[in-house]
């Protein structure tokens, strides 16, 4: 059995252990619709430290960056068409919030927390479980959707990550992006929707401590955040 199989089986076991925690926690979440008002304002850059250009992002490709914490991944996508703007969604407490929509010259660049709203499955440096696909997959009957391959929750990135199917009860938290039209650059400015960071940290404390050092996974990203293609960010990208 290779390392990717071991990682995958270990993760599935971990998901089973935290699924009950997720189910119990959802009813108690008291998160503001506009989450983390003090989230850092960070420019998105490439691995050479140069600003990411929205127009240079490959359409329908998966990119990842860390925000707002050094251990919390986010998906960056350039969809094939402009998204609607100011879309109303509901958070974990059924309170309404507004997803502002895509940015960029084509209005198609969006970003979401890559921590599933069902059982905290996430995209790590070892394994990515949340991926976007232009095509339908074995698990998803929906094209142009984000699929969590841990438990088959499906989200629509063109509509504020609303749940299309599966066990998730509310959308992925969305990263607010500021767009600088003169330079075609992107800045992460905050999040909207229900963030799950406290529950995520609790569920994966041991794993995160081992990777980042005791408690260091709670450090806020400073200065700028690096965007990588998913296959450079993760050793194993799960296909489902």
């Amino acid at each position: 059995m290779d390392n990717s199989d071991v990682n995958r089986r270990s993760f599935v076991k971990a998901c089973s252990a935290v699924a009950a925690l997720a189910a119990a926690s959802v009813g108690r979440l008291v998160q503001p619709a506009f989450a983390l008002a003090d989230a850092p304002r960070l420019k998105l850059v490439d691995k050479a430290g140069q600003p990411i250009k929205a127009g240079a992002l490959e359409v329908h490709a998966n990119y990842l960056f860390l925000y707002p914490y050094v251990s919390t991944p986010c998906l960056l996508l350039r969809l094939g068409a402009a998204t609607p703007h100011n879309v109303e969604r509901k958070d974990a407490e059924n309170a309404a919030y507004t997803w502002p929509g895509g940015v960029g010259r084509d209005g198609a660049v969006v970003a979401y927390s890559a921590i599933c709203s069902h059982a905290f499955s996430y995209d790590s440096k070892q394994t990515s479980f949340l991926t976007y696909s232009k095509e339908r997959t074995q698990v998803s009957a929906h094209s142009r959707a984000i699929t969590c391959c841990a438990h088959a929750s499906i989200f629509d990135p063109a509509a504020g990550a609303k749940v299309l199917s599966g066990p998730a009860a509310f959308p992925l938290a969305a990263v607010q992006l500021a767009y600088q039209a003169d330079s075609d650059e992107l800045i992460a400015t905050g999040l909207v929707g229900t963030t799950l960071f406290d529950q995520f940290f609790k569920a994966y404390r041991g794993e995160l401590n081992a990777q980042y050092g005791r408690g260091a996974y709670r450090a806020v990203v400073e200065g700028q955040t690096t965007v990588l293609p998913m296959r450079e960010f993760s050793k194993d990208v799960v296909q489902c």
Side-chain angles (χ1 to χ4, degrees):
M1 183 182 297
D2 62 24
N3 288 336
S4 65
D5 287 333
V6 172
N7 289 336
R8 196 171 305 171
R9 291 193 175 194
S10 296
F11 184 87
V12 170
K13 289 180 180 178
C15 283
S16 296
V18 301
L21 171 63
S25 297
V26 165
R28 296 195 299 271
L29 293 177
V30 184
Q31 298 281 0
F34 288 85
L36 296 182
D38 58 348
R41 183 180 177 90
L42 300 178
K43 182 167 287 189
L44 275 57
V45 301
D46 62 21
K47 58 187 176 182
Q50 297 302 307
I52 288 289
K53 305 292 185 178
L57 294 171
E58 182 181 345
V59 178
H60 300 306
N62 284 268
Y63 296 91
L64 285 165
F65 63 98
L66 296 170
Y67 184 83
Y69 301 103
V70 297
S71 61
T72 53
C74 297
L75 270 171
L76 178 69
L77 306 169
R78 184 182 178 194
L79 306 176
T83 72
H85 286 81
N86 299 320
V87 175
E88 184 176 300
R89 298 265 70 92
K90 296 292 184 68
D91 68 9
E93 294 295 316
N94 205 37
Y97 66 93
T98 300
W99 175 65
V103 301
R105 295 194 175 106
D106 55 6
V109 178
V110 300
Y112 296 99
S113 175
I115 299 172
C116 186
S117 58
H118 168 236
F120 322 134
S121 313
Y122 72 112
D123 291 346
S124 73
K125 294 179 181 179
Q126 292 297 321
T127 309
S128 281
F129 280 85
L130 279 79
T131 59
Y132 165 83
S133 177
K134 176 185 176 183
E135 310 296 337
R136 296 179 181 180
T137 68
Q138 293 180 346
V139 167
S140 175
H142 302 275
S143 60
R144 304 191 179 193
I146 297 169
T147 300
C148 177
C149 290
H151 301 102
S153 291
I154 316 295
F155 305 90
D156 185 353
K162 76 174 181 180
V163 179
L164 296 173
S165 63
F170 50 90
L172 302 173
V175 180
Q176 292 177 297
L177 295 173
Y179 176 63
Q180 298 181 325
D182 57 341
S183 61
D184 199 34
E185 295 173 7
L186 299 165
I187 299 171
T189 63
L191 298 103
V192 294
T194 301
T195 60
L196 296 167
F197 301 134
D198 287 343
Q199 293 88 341
F200 169 72
F201 291 152
K202 182 176 181 180
Y204 292 101
R205 183 180 293 116
E207 180 178 315
L208 296 172
N209 276 329
Q211 183 173 352
Y212 294 94
R214 188 171 181 82
Y217 56 85
R218 288 181 174 270
V220 174
V221 182
E222 296 181 350
Q224 57 193 25
T225 183
T226 302
V227 175
L228 293 174
M230 180 174 281
R231 292 195 175 276
E232 292 184 26
F233 184 94
S234 293
K235 292 180 180 179
D236 180 25
V237 177
V238 178
Q239 303 292 326
C240 63

